[in-house]
Amino acid sequence: MDYLDLCRLISQEVKAELIKALSETGFVGETLSNPYSLKSTHRVDKIAIEVIWEKLKDYPCNIYIESAQITEKKNAEFTMIIDPIDGSLNWDRGVGDPCIAIAITQKTKDIQLQDLEYAYVEGFRSGDYYYTQEGMSYFHSHLLQKIVPIHTAGKTELAEATAYLRSGYSSAKKQLEKSFPLFLLCRDLRAIDNSAMEICEVARNAADLIVEARQISDNFNLLAYPILKNAGGLLCDLEGNSLEELSLESEQVVDYVICNNATLLAEILLILKRMQQYRKYTHDNLSFEF
């Protein structure tokens, strides 16, 4: 099966329905199912999920979709794991680069992060997309209409690095408690909270690292991992432990570090460790008060 064609078709149909809904409502702001939780599902998530279910109903595959019921089929030959809109809040607001993230494995049960064999990510605003093929990762620039293979070759020192350090979703305190020195030591700071796109951007050296320490991201935020891995990038938890055995069969919260080279990763992990030790010995939880 040509996964690229299937993923592109799903992405195009989801995007078409989202634009159709947007044309009817305009940028009305947040459409949260639970207005008291910024991490709640949005109206557009439900639209995307319905499109995906309809598109895949006749395919012999299990379907795992974030914030939706798992669909398992007796004749399943593979499993598709999908974040239909990574960045729903950004889509509602008309900012950032909300995207669809799709990962595929031949396994149909007991699926871990290391089992993902294929990944596809497409930005709904930029039109850029990334995918894996035969052990390599590729970037299609919508602006240039050009496809290029990508390989990590980022900055090896934090003082020269561009970092995606997340502080949104009312969780800046948690991020700062664990990673505050990084905010001061990096050359440049960016973050739009579109995880899959940001991972792909690290894979093509548009940025050098991501640290997620807010305890609000889930394993669906890591579906772009095959693209990062094939390009030569690295993923671990905040202590440097591998996340390859992370289960993908149910949603679970995960903090992580993503980096495009081992030298820089070692520096980041040392800083995070020292920060942890500082908090332990001083009992300082960085309780910022104004």
Side-chain angles (χ1 to χ4, degrees):
M1 179 179 297
D2 190 331
Y3 291 143
L4 178 58
D5 284 350
L6 175 59
C7 290
R8 292 210 66 199
L9 185 58
I10 292 171
S11 179
Q12 290 166 6
E13 295 197 6
V14 168
K15 183 177 180 178
E17 287 300 313
L18 295 183
I19 293 173
K20 179 181 177 182
L22 186 63
S23 68
E24 296 170 353
T25 63
F27 291 108
V28 295
E30 299 161 11
T31 59
L32 302 165
S33 299
N34 178 1
Y36 300 103
S37 173
L38 288 176
K39 294 294 289 183
S40 169
T41 56
H42 297 234
R43 182 176 63 89
V44 289
D45 293 315
K46 297 177 181 178
I47 293 172
I49 289 168
E50 289 298 326
V51 172
I52 293 167
W53 273 339
E54 176 63 25
K55 192 63 194 173
L56 293 177
K57 65 181 182 180
D58 296 325
Y59 282 85
C61 64
N62 292 335
I63 308 167
Y64 296 7
I65 304 178
E66 184 178 22
S67 303
Q69 184 176 354
I70 292 175
T71 300
E72 295 184 328
K73 302 176 183 177
K74 293 182 179 180
N75 65 334
E77 298 173 2
F78 60 98
T79 300
M80 297 190 73
I81 307 172
I82 304 172
D83 187 345
I85 310 177
D86 180 354
S88 304
L89 196 60
N90 281 349
W91 178 265
D92 284 346
R93 293 171 174 171
V95 299
D97 197 9
C99 63
I100 187 169
I102 303 173
I104 299 175
T105 173
Q106 293 297 310
K107 293 187 68 174
T108 56
K109 61 180 180 179
D110 302 325
I111 299 169
Q112 299 177 336
L113 192 63
Q114 63 187 344
D115 297 320
L116 300 182
E117 301 151 12
Y118 181 86
Y120 177 89
V121 174
E122 181 171 355
F124 289 141
R125 284 171 61 83
S126 68
D128 294 342
Y129 64 85
Y130 300 80
Y131 63 97
T132 58
Q133 190 172 58
E134 297 181 353
M136 295 183 65
S137 295
Y138 295 88
F139 165 51
H140 176 273
S141 168
H142 178 71
L143 183 64
L144 300 178
Q145 287 296 298
K146 184 178 180 181
I147 298 175
V148 295
I150 53 178
H151 308 281
T152 55
K155 304 296 184 182
T156 57
E157 296 182 7
L158 198 56
E160 296 297 323
T162 296
Y164 286 161
L165 300 178
R166 281 81 172 277
S167 55
Y169 290 101
S170 304
S171 298
K173 183 175 182 290
K174 291 180 180 179
Q175 179 81 322
L176 290 168
E177 283 177 343
K178 296 179 182 178
S179 63
F180 177 67
L182 298 177
F183 284 79
L184 305 180
L185 296 174
C186 291
R187 178 177 178 271
D188 191 13
L189 299 176
R190 304 292 168 102
I192 57 174
D193 254 310
N194 295 137
S195 297
M197 289 299 290
E198 290 179 338
I199 291 171
C200 291
E201 288 163 0
V202 170
R204 68 173 174 91
N205 307 303
D208 302 292
L209 67 113
I210 302 170
V211 175
E212 172 58 271
R214 297 173 296 178
Q215 278 289 290
I216 61 172
S217 283
D218 60 40
N219 42 359
F220 280 81
N221 289 139
L222 296 174
L223 296 184
Y225 176 58
I227 295 169
L228 177 78
K229 184 178 180 179
N230 286 357
L234 304 167
L235 165 70
C236 62
D237 68 13
L238 301 185
E239 286 75 43
N241 302 307
S242 171
L243 288 172
E244 289 223 324
E245 295 183 359
L246 179 71
S247 174
L248 296 177
E249 297 203 317
S250 60
E251 294 180 38
Q252 56 183 299
V253 172
V254 55
D255 282 344
Y256 56 85
V257 179
I258 282 173
C259 192
N260 56 21
N261 69 86
T263 302
L264 181 59
L265 178 60
E267 182 181 1
I268 295 165
L269 292 175
L270 179 60
I271 290 169
L272 294 178
K273 181 178 180 180
R274 287 175 174 171
M275 187 65 181
Q276 183 183 37
Q277 291 172 339
Y278 169 81
R279 293 179 60 210
K280 177 181 179 181
Y281 293 131
T282 64
H283 303 287
D284 185 351
N285 289 320
L286 296 183
S287 54
F288 302 102
E289 296 181 2
F290 299 94

